[in-house]
Amino acid sequence: MASLKALKIRIGSVKSTQKITKAMKMVAAAKLRRAQEAAEAGRPYAERLEGVMASLASKVTVSESSPKLLAGTGKDQVQMLVVVTSERGLAGAFNTNIVRAARKKAEELEAAGKTVRFYVAGKKGRVIRRFYPDQIAGDFDISTMKVASFDQARAMADDLIRRFEAGEFDVVHLFYAKFVSALVQEPTARQIIPVKVEASASHASTSSTSAAAAVEYEPDEESILADLLPRNIAIQIFRALLENAASEQGSRMNAMENATKNAGDMINRLSIQYNRTRQAAITTELVEIISGAEAL
């Protein structure tokens, strides 16, 4: 049985931890509001740009002269999985869920005979090295990024496009956590290279079929696509960074709230144990004193 002194030290230690977790919860809650507003504000532009890309792509006959980011390499043997996580932990299962989704996709691709490579953005995503030590093709540093930045997204997009044009891979999938609410963050996977015309075309056509039919592009669809395709990739990566920032704070707030509650429960249990041990010690002393008095 632990001594009274050890229990008192343990209770003090848990109380200190509880103060830290409570403070971290408040900080995450304050950051969550701004991050959520940024993520929600970025969605309409990213979704509308995808619709424009789909509308343009549906009017173009994909051929060897088409932009490579649209036509692809003509094969899908080498698949690149871009895993975007955070730089910090203590955010519950936020990073774990993203990595798990990427690993599941990698297993499916390898089972289909594909070659899988990983491109990691965020310190916590580097855990993939434990499972795929020889398949890490890139590691983008976002440690200096205090808030989601389009410049960082564009730099990452430029690096991926350069590698794609150099023939390092055929298809790129982007993994991140979509922010739904403070309690729910959904691991999401999107193919960003080459652009998926079939999946996006239905979204564009349902938005306004008649309006799309009346649109005339100048100089021509392929020229506009060649200019918009790199921008679209940067925008989709920027959206992933914004969604991740909100998801991280929401997950951290919940994790710290649970940690604070668990610390409170532990303090109650330790306090009960401390009081029982103290009462037992007092009772033992009284029995010894009474026994000694009777012996005299």
Side-chain angles (χ1 to χ4, degrees):
M1 181 179 295
S3 65
L4 288 174
K5 183 177 180 181
L7 287 172
K8 192 171 183 179
I9 293 174
R10 181 79 182 280
I11 292 172
S13 176
V14 176
K15 284 183 177 179
S16 298
T17 302
Q18 187 184 42
K19 290 180 181 178
I20 295 172
T21 56
K22 188 175 182 180
M24 291 182 67
K25 174 194 169 184
M26 295 174 65
V27 171
K31 291 182 177 181
L32 172 61
R33 181 179 178 182
R34 295 191 296 270
Q36 180 179 352
E37 290 175 351
E40 292 175 347
R43 289 173 185 172
Y45 182 83
E47 291 171 357
R48 185 56 181 164
L49 181 58
E50 279 190 319
V52 171
M53 298 296 300
S55 176
L56 285 166
S58 64
K59 299 177 184 301
V60 172
T61 301
V62 178
S63 62
E64 294 182 357
S65 62
S66 301
K68 193 175 180 181
L69 292 175
L70 173 65
T73 61
K75 53 185 179 179
D76 62 351
Q77 179 59 36
V78 183
Q79 306 255 347
M80 177 71 81
L81 308 186
V82 180
V83 184
V84 183
T85 59
S86 68
E87 287 290 307
R88 299 173 55 200
L90 297 178
F94 164 69
N95 292 303
T96 303
N97 288 338
I98 298 174
V99 172
R100 184 183 292 117
R103 288 183 58 196
K104 182 178 179 180
K105 181 67 174 180
E107 291 172 358
E108 293 174 355
L109 291 172
E110 288 182 334
K114 309 298 183 183
T115 302
V116 177
R117 298 286 184 268
F118 290 93
Y119 188 95
V120 180
K123 180 179 178 181
K124 294 302 175 179
R126 296 170 188 165
V127 69
I128 290 179
R129 294 182 186 275
R130 300 180 184 176
F131 310 101
Y132 302 94
D134 302 323
Q135 295 170 248
I136 307 298
D139 187 347
F140 192 84
D141 183 18
I142 60 173
S143 60
T144 58
M145 185 177 65
K146 302 300 181 183
V147 294
S149 166
F150 181 70
D151 291 337
Q152 290 277 5
R154 184 165 52 190
M156 191 187 306
D158 290 344
D159 188 27
L160 287 170
I161 292 171
R162 178 184 60 79
R163 291 168 178 265
F164 174 70
E165 292 177 345
E168 292 186 19
F169 47 83
D170 304 313
V171 182
V172 178
H173 301 274
L174 178 64
F175 291 84
Y176 62 96
K178 181 181 179 181
F179 178 81
V180 179
S181 68
L183 298 175
V184 181
Q185 302 85 34
E186 294 181 352
T188 303
R190 305 173 69 87
Q191 180 178 315
I192 58 174
I193 300 177
V195 63
K196 293 187 69 173
V197 179
E198 298 83 5
S200 303
S202 59
H203 172 76
S205 60
T206 54
S207 61
S208 179
T209 305
S210 59
V215 173
E216 292 184 3
Y217 296 99
E218 187 177 341
D220 57 73
E221 288 86 351
E222 288 194 359
S223 300
I224 298 173
L225 273 173
D227 183 66
L228 287 183
L229 281 167
R231 177 180 292 271
N232 178 60
I233 295 171
I235 289 296
Q236 299 310 320
I237 293 176
F238 183 46
R239 178 185 183 181
L241 293 175
L242 291 174
E243 295 283 351
N244 260 17
S247 298
E248 178 188 357
Q249 298 305 330
S251 184
R252 178 170 290 115
M253 185 181 72
N254 292 327
M256 292 302 101
E257 181 179 4
N258 292 333
T260 301
K261 290 180 179 179
N262 292 338
D265 293 340
M266 182 175 290
I267 290 171
N268 291 335
R269 291 196 301 270
L270 290 173
S271 296
I272 292 173
Q273 185 179 354
Y274 176 83
N275 291 332
R276 287 177 177 174
T277 303
R278 181 171 177 271
Q279 187 62 45
I282 293 173
T283 302
T284 301
E285 291 178 0
L286 288 175
V287 171
E288 291 175 353
I289 291 172
I290 294 172
S291 300
E294 291 179 352
L296 294 176

